[in-house]
Amino acid sequence: MTSKDKVICLLYMKDGMTDIELQNSIEYKNFSDFKKILRALHKDKMIEYQNPKCILSPIGIMKAEKLFENS
């Protein structure tokens, strides 16, 4: 599973996590690189990222449900 997918799944299970909580949960080492992942998810409208808070969008919810369905 990609880091993006892990973030989406985590936010599906517990919405409203901070960027640091997410980084620690998926054990991503480099924080600046991890923020790039969050910004990319925000740009793709999967999450709402307002530093430091991350919230799953309706599009992200659909993506998470597909990920859980396929696993």
Side-chain angles (χ1 to χ4, degrees):
M1 186 178 280
T2 68
S3 295
K4 287 182 178 184
D5 289 348
K6 289 178 185 178
V7 167
I8 289 169
C9 289
L10 280 169
L11 287 173
Y12 185 77
M13 295 185 316
K14 181 185 175 195
D15 206 12
M17 296 176 74
T18 65
D19 48 12
I20 293 172
E21 289 174 321
L22 287 166
Q23 180 198 12
N24 290 335
S25 294
I26 68 168
E27 299 177 346
Y28 202 92
K29 296 199 187 299
N30 188 312
F31 187 63
S32 60
D33 286 345
F34 185 68
K35 287 181 85 165
K36 290 176 187 176
I37 291 169
L38 296 178
R39 287 189 206 109
L41 285 168
H42 178 82
K43 183 180 177 194
D44 293 341
K45 301 187 183 339
M46 295 288 176
I47 67 169
E48 184 61 37
Y49 178 45
Q50 294 178 351
N51 197 2
K53 196 78 160 180
C54 300
I55 300 169
L56 201 57
S57 72
I59 295 169
I61 291 170
M62 289 189 301
K63 171 75 172 177
E65 289 172 348
K66 285 181 184 176
L67 288 169
F68 282 114
E69 187 177 285
N70 294 331
S71 62

